[in-house]
Amino acid sequence: MAYTVKEVSDKLGITTHTLRFYEKEGVLPPIDRNGSGGRVYTDSDMDMIGTVQALRSTGLSLGEIKQYVELYHAGDSKLQERKGLLARQKSKVENQIFLLMKTLEKINYKMALIDAQENRFDKLP
């Protein structure tokens, strides 16, 4: 199926400016054009954009994402390099999740203390 830049933007929640920027920076491969010069995205392009969004959301830099995309396009000979890049990022994400869970525990503890203080005076013996 073919999608316009507006359709991709709406479906994936990414600005048209960002799509053009990713293409210009080489994070996305060159996108095919229609007869009037408008970008025409394929399902494969949509999958790649989704991957880029996912990697970006983990804190991967555009340079690292570009490297991943280049490794992807290089084919099976670069599988281990791709896997290594993803494994390093996975470890960072797991550490972020761990730290967020510890923070959430602290917040829940503080909220429980507040609840206990509020409820102490609600009921008389």
Side-chain angles (χ1 to χ4, degrees), residues 50-61:
T51 298
V52 168
Q53 286 180 298
L55 294 174
R56 193 75 178 117
S57 74
T58 70
L60 214 56
S61 73

Side-chain angles (χ1 to χ4, degrees), residues 45-109:
D45 295 328
M46 296 281 278
D47 287 343
M48 182 56 74
I49 294 164
T51 298
V52 168
Q53 286 180 298
L55 294 174
R56 193 75 178 117
S57 74
T58 70
L60 214 56
S61 73
L62 287 180
E64 292 166 314
I65 294 171
K66 184 177 178 181
Q67 178 187 5
Y68 175 84
V69 170
E70 288 169 355
L71 292 170
Y72 173 81
H73 287 295
D76 290 350
S77 66
K78 300 294 182 178
L79 281 174
Q80 288 305 309
E81 289 179 63
R82 261 179 36 216
K83 185 176 181 180
L85 189 149
L86 292 175
R88 287 187 298 277
Q89 194 61 17
K90 178 180 182 260
S91 178
K92 289 177 187 176
V93 168
E94 289 171 339
N95 188 50
Q96 290 171 343
I97 290 169
F98 173 78
L99 293 173
L100 284 171
M101 291 300 294
K102 296 303 266 177
T103 301
L104 181 59
E105 287 174 13
K106 185 68 141 179
I107 290 170
N108 284 335
Y109 173 74

Side-chain angles (χ1 to χ4, degrees), residues 17-63:
H17 173 76
T18 300
L19 286 167
R20 292 181 186 107
F21 176 76
Y22 283 172
E23 183 182 358
K24 181 181 139 215
E25 293 297 313
V27 175
L28 294 177
I31 303 299
D32 290 335
R33 306 284 180 135
N34 61 20
S36 59
R39 288 171 174 80
V40 178
Y41 295 85
T42 64
D43 288 325
S44 177
D45 295 328
M46 296 281 278
D47 287 343
M48 182 56 74
I49 294 164
T51 298
V52 168
Q53 286 180 298
L55 294 174
R56 193 75 178 117
S57 74
T58 70
L60 214 56
S61 73
L62 287 180

